[in-house]
Amino acid sequence: MKLRKIAALGLAGITAASLAACGGGSGSAGATAAGTTAAGTTAAAAQTNTAASAEPVTIKVSLWDYSNTAYYPIMVEAFEKSHPNIKVDIVEFSAAEYSDTIVVKMGAKEKYDVVFMKGLPEMSALIAGGHLQPLTDRITGFDMKPYGGAEKSLSLNGVVYGLPFRTDNNMIFYNKDLFDKAGVQYPKDGMTMEEYRELAKKMTSGDGAEKVYGSHVHTWPSNVYQYSRFIDEFNYLDTSTYEKLKPYYETILGMQNEDKSVQDYGELKTGNIHYSGVFYNEQVAMLQIGSWYIEMLTGNVTPQSEHYFKWGAVTMPNSKGNTYENMVGGITPCSIGAYSEHPEEAWEFLSYVCGEEGAKVIAERGIVPGWKGQSILDIFDKIPEQFPNAPEELSKFLTPPNYIVEQPMDPNAKAINTVIEEMHSDIMTNSVSIDDGIKTAIERAKEAGAK
């Protein structure tokens, strides 16, 4: 197995958008000009139906950061080799702008045959606009078991509109060397939030540039609400669950304002500080983030890097003591565009990249695919053979009995998500009290379409 190596990243200046993490990013930095066609993937073939012509058919596929993500070109090359009559034309957009761009492009009836999406809010918007083709008939007879139920989250009103290309799970990553140095026991599966807070306090030391924070809370709202979502409490579509967020905000704000065991939200935002750099540089002992970070750690925390340490992972803290019963995370969906001129060939590509062949390509680079047969679990369990500083049995994070999608599908998802983002910012900057922030969010979410 050969996992992709990427250059070590600094503490600041690495934007969340460039990594495209939440909602299915690659973990790759950089962005290209919107609408450019990726070099080397455009075929000079006539775009005619294969039933009427022997010439190759070219399908258009919309993606973000294709040029900076190693596994995409490998997948496309393998697909074209196994399907010599289908050529793939990648239309590449900036990761930072992709979610909004693809909604605008499809609203203009762009003839993309295959559409990748970063998450379910934009997928919901595309379905509501009639911009994606139903796949219900196509998946008849198609083995859906390896998706572990994640595919059910890609349906609306009983109609399936996509397949999971990736499914990420959230967990706590930790630096074993820092814990060993401090003489503190490692984090454990199923910690309570109180235990997590106390552990972060114990692991906080030093001052100024030498300070080591016990944990790191990235600026996304999910870095707070995932704790409640992990045990299926909070649902952003249901305002009656918003009060469930209060104890989690109390814990995180206590860590930020009182314990000083996590860096201030405002400083993270204004300093454009990314979670990856602070963990690579051993400036934090714990980090709650998605499973895409496995790829980033294996690519950056190497014997050749400035900082090399052993790392581990445990399940999310929660009030029920749950461990591997649930996993929560985002799905990267892939669909056929409503205005596709080659829907049959589009399905061939879609089922390939979201099936075992595509899953192996990304799994071998430490990325969790949507398709998770035994071959994929074996790949993750062999990671320590190449990276001795990685933990054993990473596959246990991949196939939970219950997979909870971070943001359920809904026609009003994007508008409701905006309300949650603004509530989160107001609370974390201490601009409003937790109670007032949640109360306002309930009112605004109802106006946006939440129940």
Side-chain angles (χ1 to χ4, degrees), residues 46-232:
Q47 296 196 19
T48 55
N49 192 288
T50 51
S53 171
E55 293 186 23
V57 165
T58 298
I59 59 172
K60 292 179 66 176
V61 178
S62 69
L63 263 175
W64 64 92
D65 281 0
Y66 178 88
S67 302
N68 302 307
T69 307
Y71 56 76
Y72 284 140
I74 294 171
M75 241 177 351
V76 169
E77 182 180 356
F79 172 78
E80 289 182 332
K81 185 175 181 180
S82 63
H83 297 73
N85 208 43
I86 305 175
K87 301 301 177 185
V88 180
D89 176 14
I90 299 293
V91 181
E92 181 178 9
F93 297 96
S94 161
E97 301 153 1
Y98 187 82
S99 294
D100 292 329
T101 299
I102 195 61
V103 173
V104 172
K105 290 288 186 181
M106 293 304 292
K109 298 187 177 181
E110 289 282 352
K111 296 179 180 179
Y112 299 131
D113 297 290
V114 176
V115 181
F116 281 78
M117 290 150 285
K118 296 178 74 175
L120 301 195
E122 62 259 42
M123 187 178 190
S124 300
L126 293 177
I127 294 171
H131 304 314
L132 300 179
Q133 289 192 15
L135 299 181
T136 306
D137 292 340
R138 293 188 184 277
I139 63 174
T140 301
F142 189 73
D143 185 11
M144 304 296 283
K145 291 181 182 178
Y147 295 110
E151 80 286 350
K152 297 174 184 176
S153 298
L154 305 186
S155 64
L156 199 60
N157 299 323
V159 180
V160 178
Y161 287 93
L163 292 179
F165 175 59
R166 289 175 48 183
T167 53
D168 282 298
N169 305 325
N170 278 264
M171 59 190 78
I172 299 290
F173 290 89
Y174 63 95
N175 182 318
K176 289 185 175 181
D177 289 1
L178 287 179
F179 274 87
D180 290 342
K181 182 179 179 181
V184 176
Q185 289 189 338
Y186 296 151
K188 62 182 181 180
D189 292 319
M191 292 182 292
T192 65
M193 291 301 291
E194 291 76 14
E195 289 173 326
Y196 174 56
R197 179 178 177 180
E198 285 303 311
L199 196 56
K201 192 185 301 185
K202 288 180 182 179
M203 289 303 300
T204 300
S205 64
D207 295 297
E210 301 302 316
K211 182 166 183 174
V212 173
Y213 291 91
S215 193
H216 185 80
V217 179
H218 192 49
T219 56
W220 298 324
S222 59
N223 285 95
V224 174
Y225 74 63
Q226 293 287 34
Y227 295 107
S228 183
R229 187 78 182 133
F230 177 73
I231 50 177
D232 211 8

Side-chain angles (χ1 to χ4, degrees), residues 406-424:
E406 177 180 309
Q407 297 172 311
M409 189 91 76
D410 188 86
N412 302 305
K414 283 181 72 67
I416 299 169
N417 187 55
T418 297
V419 171
I420 297 300
E421 288 177 345
E422 293 176 358
M423 174 199 72
H424 178 71

Side-chain angles (χ1 to χ4, degrees), residues 182-339:
V184 176
Q185 289 189 338
Y186 296 151
K188 62 182 181 180
D189 292 319
M191 292 182 292
T192 65
M193 291 301 291
E194 291 76 14
E195 289 173 326
Y196 174 56
R197 179 178 177 180
E198 285 303 311
L199 196 56
K201 192 185 301 185
K202 288 180 182 179
M203 289 303 300
T204 300
S205 64
D207 295 297
E210 301 302 316
K211 182 166 183 174
V212 173
Y213 291 91
S215 193
H216 185 80
V217 179
H218 192 49
T219 56
W220 298 324
S222 59
N223 285 95
V224 174
Y225 74 63
Q226 293 287 34
Y227 295 107
S228 183
R229 187 78 182 133
F230 177 73
I231 50 177
D232 211 8
E233 288 181 336
F234 171 71
N235 183 341
Y236 77 141
L237 303 179
D238 183 357
T239 57
S240 70
T241 69
Y242 284 25
E243 291 290 343
K244 297 288 186 180
L245 296 176
K246 182 175 179 178
Y248 298 96
Y249 273 110
E250 289 175 338
T251 298
I252 300 301
L253 284 180
M255 295 168 73
Q256 172 183 282
N257 300 338
E258 300 168 21
D259 306 342
K260 310 297 183 182
S261 60
V262 299
Q263 196 164 356
D264 182 78
Y265 172 90
E267 292 178 2
L268 296 176
K269 292 287 282 189
T270 57
N272 200 24
I273 297 173
H274 199 267
Y275 62 83
S276 56
V278 293
F279 197 80
Y280 296 156
N281 294 333
E282 300 190 85
Q283 293 171 298
V284 298
M286 293 184 288
L287 168 68
Q288 182 252 302
I289 209 70
S291 51
W292 64 82
Y293 202 50
I294 295 171
E295 178 218 21
M296 299 173 72
L297 285 171
T298 56
N300 288 276
V301 183
T302 67
Q304 295 75 36
S305 62
E306 181 180 355
H307 294 271
Y308 180 65
F309 52 86
K310 293 181 180 179
W311 55 274
V314 295
T315 57
M316 298 267 286
N318 63 93
S319 61
K320 294 184 178 180
N322 283 11
T323 56
Y324 299 97
E325 299 92 331
N326 295 351
M327 287 293 164
V328 59
I331 297 178
T332 302
C334 193
S335 301
I336 299 176
Y339 317 109

